[in-house]
Amino acid sequence: MDDSRFISSAEALPTPFTTICEAPSNIALIKYWGKSAPQLPKNTSLSFTLDSSITRTALNFTPQKSTSFSFEFYFEGVLKPEFNPKLEAYFNQIRAYIPWIENYHLLIKSQNSFPHSSGIASSASAMAALSVGLMEMERKLTPSLSETACSEKASFLARLGSGSAARSIEGPLMLWGKTEYLKKSSDYYAIPLKADINPVFTTYQDTILLVDKGSKPVSSTQGHQLMHKHPYAAQRFKQAKNHLKELMPILKSGDLAGFMQIVESEALSLHAMMMTSKPYYLLMKPNTLAVIEKVWNFRKETRIPLCFTLDAGANIHLLYPLADKKAVLELVESDLKNYCNQGDYLIDQVGRGAKKV
Ligand code: PMV
């Protein structure tokens, strides 16, 4: 694809502009693990967009005389200059696509709905909220931009900040990466899966067990890097492709046994890649494994379709239909919360994506 379609030719306006946007986190069912520059995935991924695990970002654009962009970043009310190098690098990557930004000073004020240091990766919701806010400004400068064009460019901009952030723009299911199963799919941005989704998946629940709140010994950026010379990389990309092929009809039929089998296999394969990288590493904790066994036992005993998935970390996402919420939350309260750091967990569900507040 030629990404020139994302280069704006809008002229900056001499008036200030403020917008507040919210974007959720997302949890991958088919994992993205391995990429090539510029942040293009080695395989197609598919995720549930979450609902209440969100970042809310206020953007305040002030026109400035000098034609050199500047910004300030506040997180939860506190000026955070330590984030500037990362943001600077991000703006350098995207300024070619939003040249109008050169004429503004940007004040960014962000906050998360989920607790600080919960072990929940906030880069997806943070980069998505920022990108949607930038697109609100571009929409003001280019009123003829369609909703779809705005969403696709927001996803495109978010992807350049954090790959998985591309999937936090819409919902409840987002697909990122070119695949033969969807003509409109792209490596450059994510698109919502709209047609033929079984209703069971439109209200799916995600309860996030906070097993470990500490920082990870190996970041996702390093993990992606290690896929370059990974002995099983080619096989892993093939597996993800096959899993997607199997999952597409399941999302339509609502075959929950098939769904759980693919989702759990994806989670364990992701961690298997980490354990077989050079150097190898481990992000699961003993309590992660203890909970996985509990989930399997509960499923066997009750026949309730509860399954798990994992991000690049020790925390567990419990995925289950809305109809089973009571039974699963009883299990969490009576047993699984004992495996969580300070007994903490978050109750979330699939959501519809980013929005203007
Ligand atoms: O978006 P990144 O670069 O932090 O990578 C995230 C990768 C996983 O969360 C492990 C999987 C995924 O598809 O979200």
Side-chain angles (χ1 to χ4, degrees):
M1 193 197 90
D2 176 10
D3 61 9
S4 60
R5 70 172 260 220
F6 290 120
I7 300 175
S8 170
S9 53
E11 296 278 334
L13 288 171
T15 42
F17 177 70
T18 298
T19 184
I20 303 176
C21 294
E22 281 181 2
S25 185
N26 69 74
I27 181 69
L29 305 173
I30 305 286
K31 308 292 182 184
Y32 147 63
W33 199 241
K35 62 178 170 181
S36 50
Q39 203 98 287
L40 298 172
K42 290 283 193 186
N43 66 265
T44 308
S45 59
L46 181 80
S47 54
F48 272 146
T49 304
L50 296 184
D51 184 45
S52 44
S53 306
I54 56 158
T55 298
R56 174 186 281 218
T57 297
L59 296 184
N60 186 269
F61 297 84
T62 310
Q64 57 181 6
K65 289 264 168 354
S66 72
T67 50
S68 127
F69 168 66
S70 57
F71 67 88
E72 275 170 294
F73 176 67
Y74 286 78
F75 184 67
E76 320 234 287
V78 183
L79 185 65
K80 293 277 182 184
E82 60 269 37
F83 283 88
N84 285 5
K86 221 178 158 201
L87 281 164
E88 187 92 50
Y90 176 60
F91 283 116
N92 281 339
Q93 258 200 305
I94 65 166
R95 53 213 291 172
Y97 303 102
I98 52 168
W100 47 261
I101 203 155
E102 304 298 339
N103 299 78
Y104 295 98
H105 174 76
L106 179 59
L107 180 62
I108 309 165
K109 288 186 171 173
S110 263
Q111 64 195 67
N112 289 342
S113 66
F114 40 92
H116 200 45
S117 312
S118 59
I120 295 285
S122 59
S123 59
S125 55
M127 297 319 296
L130 176 57
S131 303
V132 168
L134 292 171
M135 285 313 294
E136 278 305 310
M137 180 59 170
E138 188 162 303
R139 198 202 293 266
K140 175 142 176 89
L141 304 177
T142 319
S144 60
L145 266 187
S146 72
E147 281 290 327
T148 306
C150 266
S151 292
E152 288 179 356
K153 185 165 173 182
S155 174
F156 172 88
L157 295 176
R159 181 198 108 241
L160 290 169
S162 162
S164 56
R167 300 187 311 240
S168 275
I169 307 298
E170 293 179 74
L173 279 154
M174 292 293 279
L175 184 95
W176 171 39
K178 189 72 192 151
T179 164
E180 62 202 88
Y181 309 117
L182 215 75
K183 227 171 125 201
K184 285 181 62 195
S185 58
S186 171
D187 283 346
Y188 288 83
Y189 54 88
I191 54 169
L193 269 194
K194 283 199 173 127
D196 289 336
I197 300 297
N198 190 285
V200 73
F201 295 119
T202 63
T203 56
Y204 230 67
Q205 303 293 300
D206 181 4
T207 299
I208 309 164
L209 303 178
L210 305 177
V211 167
D212 186 55
K213 298 181 188 170
S215 64
K216 294 181 282 187
V218 179
S219 70
S220 286
T221 307
Q222 291 165 307
H224 284 291
Q225 199 63 32
L226 291 171
M227 285 302 279
H228 284 304
K229 287 189 178 154
H230 199 293
Y232 308 136
Q235 193 55 37
R236 162 61 199 149
F237 303 141
K238 202 166 145 198
Q239 180 200 38
K241 193 175 172 190
N242 289 338
H243 276 160
L244 181 68
K245 184 180 177 184
E246 289 169 40
L247 189 58
M248 294 298 270
I250 287 174
L251 293 175
K252 187 174 170 183
S253 69
D255 162 18
L256 294 184
F259 174 82
M260 294 189 292
Q261 209 249 314
I262 293 171
V263 167
E264 291 186 347
S265 173
E266 275 292 305
L268 294 178
S269 297
L270 168 72
H271 283 258
M273 290 299 107
M274 299 167 186
M275 289 186 236
T276 48
S277 290
K278 202 173 171 186
Y280 50 79
Y281 64 106
L282 198 54
L283 296 184
M284 287 192 273
K285 297 282 180 196
N287 279 357
T288 312
L289 293 179
V291 170
I292 289 174
E293 296 222 307
K294 294 261 174 187
V295 167
W296 286 340
N297 287 338
F298 177 80
R299 189 156 87 214
K300 208 163 148 197
E301 280 162 20
T302 64
R303 306 211 164 265
I304 288 173
L306 168 67
C307 73
F308 72 87
T309 190
L310 306 163
D311 247 337
N315 295 331
I316 301 225
H317 290 248
L318 296 175
L319 300 178
Y320 52 96
L322 176 61
D324 297 307
K325 187 168 181 177
K326 191 166 173 278
V328 173
L329 291 185
E330 266 167 29
L331 171 73
V332 171
E333 265 302 306
S334 65
D335 191 1
L336 303 186
K337 75 182 257 191
N338 297 323
Y339 297 87
C340 298
N341 191 314
Q342 296 171 308
D344 286 345
Y345 60 92
L346 306 170
I347 301 174
D348 209 338
Q349 59 189 334
V350 299
R352 297 293 176 271
K355 61 172 194 272
K356 201 172 131 186
V357 181

